[in-house]
Amino acid sequence: MSSILTNTGAMVALQTLKGVNVNMATTQNEISTGKSVSSAKDNSAVWAISKVMEADVNGFKAISDSLALGESTVAVARQASETVTDLLTDIKGKIVAAQEENVDRTKIQTDISALRDQITAVVSAAQFNGLNLIQGTEDVDILSSLDRSADGSVAATNITISRQDQSTAAGTYGSGTDISANAVIADSASAVASSANTAIVSYANTWAANDTATLTVAGVELSFTATGAAVADVASFFEGAINGLGLDGVTASSSGGDLTISSTRAFEDLSVTSASSTAGDGDALITSLNGTGSLTLSTGDISKRAEQIDMSTAAAVSEGDSYKVTVGSNSYNYIAGKGESMEDVAKGLKTAIDGGSIAGVTTKVVQDATTKQWSVQIDNDGTGSTSLALSTAANQDGKASGGLFGLDKIDVRTDAGASSALDSIETLIQSSIDAGANFGSAQARIENQSDFISKLTDSLKSGIGTLVDADMEEVSARLTALQTQQQLAVQSLSIANQAPQSILSLFR
């Protein structure tokens, strides 16, 4: 049926043309923007995901800049630590040369002072954009990543760089909680005396000809065969035999049947073993040892002359823990830094005492092989004073001493100074080596993270492109098809619009 009121064919052709035009507009938008999803109306879900990912990409660009800045800062600190290590090694060479007495120690000290000043200059200059990682103790955080969880929340992740203080600062003694129980003087000694420690070997009761006595001192065995009953002869023989050995710091004297063995060895116990074989009831026993009498021992150790400060094996060391040793009228402090141990505290106290240059006083740090306890031993040879008062104290909440604490106190112009400097420089070199190693590890980690962030950013960009970028080959083919459909739709509409004109021919 034909109608002049309703042209159904034209309406169908028009709707077809409109649909083709809509698809044509969409295709042209993809061609002009290069995206299949350029706005939320194209595909709201995909558009939302792509925008979140684009925001992350921009964030990772900022992270890359942060990592680059952090890497440069750490690289400066690492290079400075390596330079300090080299300079400290040069100082060690000078100190070793100063161990020889037939050298000009004053000139050697001048060279050491120049190297020390150079180290100070390096430490002060080792900054990047105002940040110096080899001064102070506060950690530095470098932004390294953004972590997005399943619920959409985002958290920033940092790489924490520990400062490695390479200054010579003495630190500030704390006034916090008392922790003096962490550093206790052995045997409750109250002074460091220069007097010898002794053992008395008593030869007593009934002796006869051909009775024998043996005495082992410092691993050397001595033997005596009696020619009569006089115990004084036994003691007198061993007196001469011990003195004839020429053992360092060891002397002997006798009175009647009592043999007194004296030792002034600073840091070494002296072992003594006594035995006898008699026809009667004669004996050879250690009756007094280190001032304790009424003994009946066959073996014992004459204690070292040095007094000992024992560090706790159970207590942890926190930054700011302050330890003080008073020798004579002078006090010497060491304040622990971050991550340090009782070994570091013991070595720090040794360095502090050595730096005081007390006449006749020398120190040594030791560790017990069984208990693993660290101790500081302090000896007094009597050059300055026959006895010096000794006490300790400790408190929390101080400001840490520098990693090169004691460097400015090194003085090789005396025998004692040259000797103590050799121990101190080893500790300082190890501190500097540890600092360089820590910075090297941190720099490598930052470089790895930077490389990962770069690759992650590329992957995110690729993922965004997969979601929203238009397939231009497909779009091109679709455009050609739509152009053909558009032309056909226009022709169909034109034909449909001519239908009412055909009706007029029926009325001619």
Side-chain angles (χ1 to χ4, degrees), residues 9-276:
M11 288 189 292
V12 172
L14 181 60
Q15 291 300 321
T16 300
L17 181 58
K18 285 181 178 179
V20 171
N21 287 339
V22 169
N23 290 335
M24 180 69 77
T26 300
T27 302
Q28 288 175 337
N29 183 63
E30 290 183 22
I31 293 172
S32 62
T33 62
K35 295 182 177 181
S36 60
V37 180
S38 60
S39 64
K41 71 180 181 63
D42 295 330
N43 187 321
S44 59
V46 171
W47 179 84
I49 293 172
S50 69
K51 288 303 176 183
V52 171
M53 295 177 68
E54 286 176 4
D56 286 349
V57 167
N58 289 332
F60 281 120
K61 289 179 180 178
I63 290 172
S64 294
D65 293 339
S66 173
L67 288 170
L69 180 61
E71 182 181 347
S72 299
T73 305
V74 174
V76 169
R78 176 189 56 77
Q79 185 61 57
S81 295
E82 292 174 357
T83 301
V84 168
T85 300
D86 292 340
L87 292 170
L88 287 172
T89 302
D90 291 342
I91 290 178
K92 179 180 177 180
K94 304 293 184 183
I95 292 174
V96 170
Q99 303 305 305
E100 171 61 48
E101 293 184 3
N102 190 27
V103 293
D104 190 338
R105 286 176 170 169
T106 300
K107 288 186 173 60
I108 292 176
Q109 181 62 37
T110 299
D111 290 342
I112 291 174
S113 297
L115 290 169
R116 181 186 62 212
D117 292 344
Q118 181 59 34
I119 289 174
T120 302
V122 169
V123 171
S124 297
Q127 56 82 29
F128 187 87
N129 194 33
L131 179 60
N132 191 325
L133 293 178
I134 60 174
Q135 285 185 328
T137 59
E138 298 84 1
D139 290 343
V140 176
D141 291 331
I142 297 175
L143 181 63
S144 61
S145 184
L146 289 176
D147 297 339
R148 184 177 294 280
S149 62
D151 61 5
S153 60
V154 178
T157 302
N158 298 314
I159 293 177
T160 300
I161 307 299
S162 297
R163 271 191 170 95
Q164 305 293 319
D165 192 355
Q166 296 294 284
S167 71
T168 59
T172 303
Y173 191 85
S175 58
T177 303
D178 187 322
I179 53 173
S180 57
N182 294 347
V184 178
I185 302 174
D187 301 323
S188 301
S190 59
V192 186
S194 59
S195 56
N197 288 319
T198 63
I200 298 177
V201 181
S202 297
Y203 299 95
N205 297 327
T206 305
W207 283 67
N210 297 319
D211 286 352
T212 61
T214 59
L215 185 65
T216 303
V217 180
V220 179
E221 184 176 295
L222 304 172
S223 179
F224 174 74
T225 300
T227 58
V231 291
D233 293 342
V234 185
S236 178
F237 168 80
F238 283 123
E239 175 189 356
I242 292 172
N243 290 331
L245 292 175
L247 296 175
D248 183 38
V250 179
T251 59
S253 62
S254 65
S255 176
D258 291 334
L259 172 69
T260 300
I261 305 171
S262 301
S263 173
T264 58
R265 292 187 173 185
F267 305 112
E268 181 182 0
D269 291 344
L270 182 72
S271 63
V272 177
T273 300
S274 178
S276 65

Side-chain angles (χ1 to χ4, degrees), residues 24 27 474-487:
M24 180 69 77
T27 302
E474 179 187 349
V475 172
S476 175
R478 194 187 323 136
L479 178 63
T480 300
L482 288 172
Q483 288 174 335
T484 301
Q485 292 175 28
Q486 186 182 48
Q487 292 174 7

Side-chain angles (χ1 to χ4, degrees), residues 268-506:
E268 181 182 0
D269 291 344
L270 182 72
S271 63
V272 177
T273 300
S274 178
S276 65
S277 176
T278 65
D281 61 353
D283 55 31
L285 297 173
I286 300 173
T287 57
S288 177
L289 185 64
N290 302 316
T292 301
S294 302
L295 304 176
T296 56
L297 304 175
S298 60
T299 185
D301 291 334
I302 302 177
S303 298
K304 57 188 173 295
R305 183 175 60 189
E307 298 298 343
Q308 181 167 300
I309 301 172
D310 293 328
M311 315 307 296
S312 172
T313 57
V317 178
S318 301
E319 182 180 359
D321 285 356
S322 308
Y323 291 85
K324 177 184 295 185
V325 176
T326 300
V327 182
S329 59
N330 297 314
S331 295
Y332 303 95
N333 304 332
Y334 181 75
I335 298 85
K338 186 176 299 181
E340 291 193 342
S341 64
M342 284 300 180
E343 177 185 4
D344 298 308
V345 172
K347 290 180 177 179
L349 288 173
K350 169 183 167 52
T351 299
I353 297 169
D354 289 347
S357 300
I358 311 172
V361 172
T362 54
T363 61
K364 186 177 182 180
V365 172
V366 297
Q367 184 183 32
D368 187 277
T370 302
T371 65
K372 305 303 180 183
Q373 182 177 56
W374 287 95
S375 302
V376 184
Q377 297 177 350
I378 306 173
D379 181 59
N380 174 22
D381 67 9
T383 302
S385 175
T386 58
S387 182
L388 293 166
L390 178 66
S391 63
T392 63
N395 294 88
Q396 293 181 332
D397 302 333
K399 182 179 179 181
S401 303
L404 298 185
F405 170 68
L407 176 62
D408 53 343
K409 301 296 184 181
I410 288 178
D411 190 338
V412 300
R413 289 175 291 185
T414 64
D415 288 344
S419 179
S420 63
L422 194 57
D423 288 334
S424 297
I425 196 64
E426 290 295 338
T427 301
L428 298 178
I429 289 175
Q430 191 58 54
S431 174
S432 182
I433 289 174
D434 290 345
N438 287 334
F439 286 133
S441 297
Q443 186 178 357
R445 182 184 176 188
I446 294 173
E447 287 179 351
N448 291 334
Q449 182 68 9
S450 182
D451 183 58
F452 167 71
I453 293 297
S454 177
K455 292 178 180 178
L456 178 61
T457 301
D458 290 343
S459 297
L460 288 175
K461 289 180 179 179
S462 177
I464 294 171
T466 301
L467 288 173
V468 302
D469 287 356
D471 185 341
M472 299 310 292
E473 292 86 353
E474 179 187 349
V475 172
S476 175
R478 194 187 323 136
L479 178 63
T480 300
L482 288 172
Q483 288 174 335
T484 301
Q485 292 175 28
Q486 186 182 48
Q487 292 174 7
L488 292 174
V490 169
Q491 291 180 0
S492 296
L493 180 59
S494 177
I495 293 170
N497 285 334
Q498 291 176 3
Q501 298 296 325
S502 300
I503 297 177
L504 291 177
S505 62
L506 297 176

